[in-house]
Every structure is written in structure tokens, then in C-alpha cells.
Amino acid sequence: MRRCAERRRPVTIPSAGRLHPSERLRLAGEIALVSLYARFALRREPIELVVRRLRTVVPHPAMPVAQTPGAVDAWRLGHAVSRTLRLLPGDTRCLVRSLVLTRLLARRGIASTLVIGTRTTPEFLAHAWVELQGTPLLDPGGGAFARLAEL
């Protein structure tokens, strides 16, 4: 997966307007491939190592610095990840969504924080989301989760 996905230039998200249908398809394919990789990697390795591997990418040299997404565009990538993974079979819950978005942002040269939170009442639950400079890009669970770890 790494060799194939690294060869292609990542889809840039325009600040205004919609993606061309071919760019949408490429982005959906990138999201699907990364989700498969993340799901299988989580079965074999601890989450810290999976996150490190997902972030260990060099931003694509063909992507001009001026086209690096800002906060709004990073949020749009998060929205694209949520919408695309909702349509795919398999486990696409919060942790997988967060890992996929972490990889997409890393490929575009954007540092982000993967947050894992928990709550104990009325029952124990865990939740994961991604933040960019303290702003959630994925649903943080409505403030019901206390931060447990930041990766």
C-alpha cells in the first residue's frame, strides 16, 4: 500500500468550490486504501507504532507549498473521511477515521494530534478524534470524554 499510494500526488482540497469528480474518486480511493492499511496494522502492532508509521511520510514533492491546506481545508478533509468511510463495509468507527485523517494530513504536510478520550458514566466508553491546533476536525464526542492520551 505504501509504495502505490506514495507515487501518486495527493488530492489538494481547494479552499472554495467542489472537487472535480475525478479528484473526488482519487480522494475516496486514498481514504479506502489508508483505512484498510490502518485496520490491518492495528491487529499486528500497538497504536503508538501505527500512528508513527502513518505519520512517517514525506509530503509529496509535487505539491506546492501554497496549496497546503489550511484549517478549513483540513476540516473538509475530515468531513470527506467521515462521509467516505460511512459507505465502506467493515470497522470504520472513530479510531479508524482518526488514523485515516492523520495519514491524509501528514501526506499534505500538516501536523495534527490524535486524541483518545474516555468516559466512565453511565458506562465505560472510549472515543478518538483528530485535532489541528486544539480545534477538532472529527467529532470529539460533545465534550463527554476526558482526554486520556494524545498521540
Side-chain angles (χ1 to χ4, degrees):
M1 195 283 302
R2 178 184 289 253
R3 280 181 267 132
C4 180
E6 295 303 319
R7 276 187 255 149
R8 294 196 177 109
R9 181 173 175 232
V11 175
T12 59
I13 303 293
S15 294
R18 304 180 130 238
L19 290 176
H20 187 273
S22 65
E23 292 174 321
R24 273 191 189 165
L25 188 59
R26 280 185 41 220
L27 181 59
E30 183 181 3
I31 291 168
L33 285 174
V34 173
S35 72
L36 282 174
Y37 173 79
R39 287 173 34 208
F40 289 117
L42 282 172
R43 292 180 186 169
R44 297 185 316 260
E45 301 170 338
I47 189 168
E48 296 88 358
L49 185 57
V50 173
V51 171
R52 192 174 319 125
R53 287 183 196 271
L54 289 171
R55 285 189 176 137
T56 307
V57 293
V58 177
H60 199 285
M63 177 180 269
V65 175
Q67 291 184 350
T68 301
V72 171
D73 299 325
W75 179 86
R76 289 180 68 198
L77 274 174
H79 186 68
V81 167
S82 294
R83 287 187 59 161
T84 302
L85 291 181
R86 194 176 307 140
L87 302 173
L88 297 179
D91 182 10
T92 57
R93 290 177 285 183
C94 60
L95 182 57
V96 172
R97 283 193 308 264
S98 297
L99 291 171
V100 170
L101 182 57
T102 297
R103 172 62 172 217
L104 269 81
L105 292 171
R107 275 203 80 203
R108 288 153 180 84
I110 298 174
S112 62
T113 304
L114 189 145
V115 181
I116 298 176
T118 60
R119 75 170 192 208
T120 56
T121 56
E123 60 182 315
F124 179 82
L125 286 176
H127 185 57
W129 65 94
V130 176
E131 292 183 352
L132 177 66
Q133 300 172 351
T135 302
L137 300 175
L138 296 174
D139 177 25
F145 294 91
R147 287 165 136 26
L148 179 65
E150 294 183 11
L151 305 171

